[in-house]
Amino acid sequence: MIPYTHPRYESLKKREKLADGYRDGFTVLEGLIAHGRGEAFNYLLGETTVPPAREAIKAGAALLFLAEAPVISVNGNTAALCPEVMVELSKALKAKLEVNLFYRNDDRVERIKRKLLECGADEILTEYSADIPGINSERRKVSREGIYSGDVVLVAIEDGDRTEALVRQGKGVIAIDLNPLSRTARKATITIVDDVIRVMPALTEEVKHFSNRNEAMRVLRSYNRDRNLQEVLNYIIKFLTGTLSR
Ligand code: PTJ
């Protein structure tokens, strides 16, 4: 039991969710290591949503709002960390939810699907009858009704291969990744450098605010991925400069 008053309460709660996710059979051990890398970058960002991430969230919401067939890809880490809000976002957008795993096996897919259904999802795509060309991992297998035919895909805590392959297929990819230097971050159409736990509720709120296409297109036009990533790096440098004198 972690006391509310613990100075690192939020961070410890996230670890607890992932450890529970592992015990419940959603999350893989490798996912716990990936979380550790994310924690390090989160620390360097001051464990907050920095202004360029806020701008990227708006741009991501705009692209999702404009999409004709948006898809939210769920893996073992996101199923443990924020299943409820992924379902909420899918409902706000009428987006498909697809379980897509790097370390795929039927048991994990089934458990994650059940979790999302318990959180109120109506349908979860788990039939993998199509392949995304150019990927060698299990992630190449996707649902024909979901990622294969979708025009915009939201991915979080993702390896770079699939992001690149999806972009090559002409899809818009919105990636949530705390590492601004990762291949995913540098290849996605829109990259949100922030913790998925903070991003998902903010993204859902932003999506709900859009009411017309012109406004969404204006937000998209003003977003530039590389400039945004550089601004995030500038925040990290600023955070580090003078840290010891704070
Ligand atoms: O559940 P599976 O089988 O699909 O496997 C998922 C993992 C996470 C094991 C797989 O996608 C993986 O190995 O990912 P990588 O290549 O380690 O990349 C994960 C990226 O996500 C890293 O750049 C981390 O910094 C970042 N990350 C980790 N935790 C978070 C995060 N980004 C946002 N929010 C987080 N909470």
Side-chain angles (χ1 to χ4, degrees), residues 41-58 177-178 180 191-195 198-199 202 223 227-240:
F41 280 102
N42 199 15
Y43 208 85
L44 296 177
L45 286 162
E47 296 178 302
T48 186
T49 301
V50 293
R54 165 59 58 192
E55 190 199 335
I57 289 170
K58 278 204 173 117
D177 189 336
L178 274 160
T191 301
I192 303 169
V193 183
D194 196 6
D195 194 322
R198 289 191 293 269
V199 174
Y223 170 83
R227 186 188 63 212
N228 190 277
L229 289 176
Q230 185 56 55
E231 282 170 13
V232 170
L233 288 169
N234 294 346
Y235 266 91
I236 292 179
I237 294 165
K238 201 166 134 201
F239 181 74
L240 289 175

Side-chain angles (χ1 to χ4, degrees), residues 44-92:
L44 296 177
L45 286 162
E47 296 178 302
T48 186
T49 301
V50 293
R54 165 59 58 192
E55 190 199 335
I57 289 170
K58 278 204 173 117
L63 189 59
L64 285 167
F65 176 79
L66 291 169
E68 281 174 18
V71 184
I72 301 169
S73 181
V74 182
N75 73 4
N77 282 43
T78 53
L81 286 170
C82 50
E84 299 86 357
V85 69
M86 281 191 299
V87 172
E88 193 188 336
L89 177 63
S90 76
K91 292 200 166 180

Side-chain angles (χ1 to χ4, degrees), residues 130-156:
D131 270 16
I132 297 286
I135 314 179
N136 295 320
S137 73
E138 282 296 296
R139 275 204 167 129
R140 74 179 182 282
K141 295 181 186 151
V142 291
S143 163
R144 201 166 282 280
E145 276 177 74
I147 290 173
Y148 188 76
S149 52
D151 58 348
V152 175
V153 185
L154 175 66
V155 299

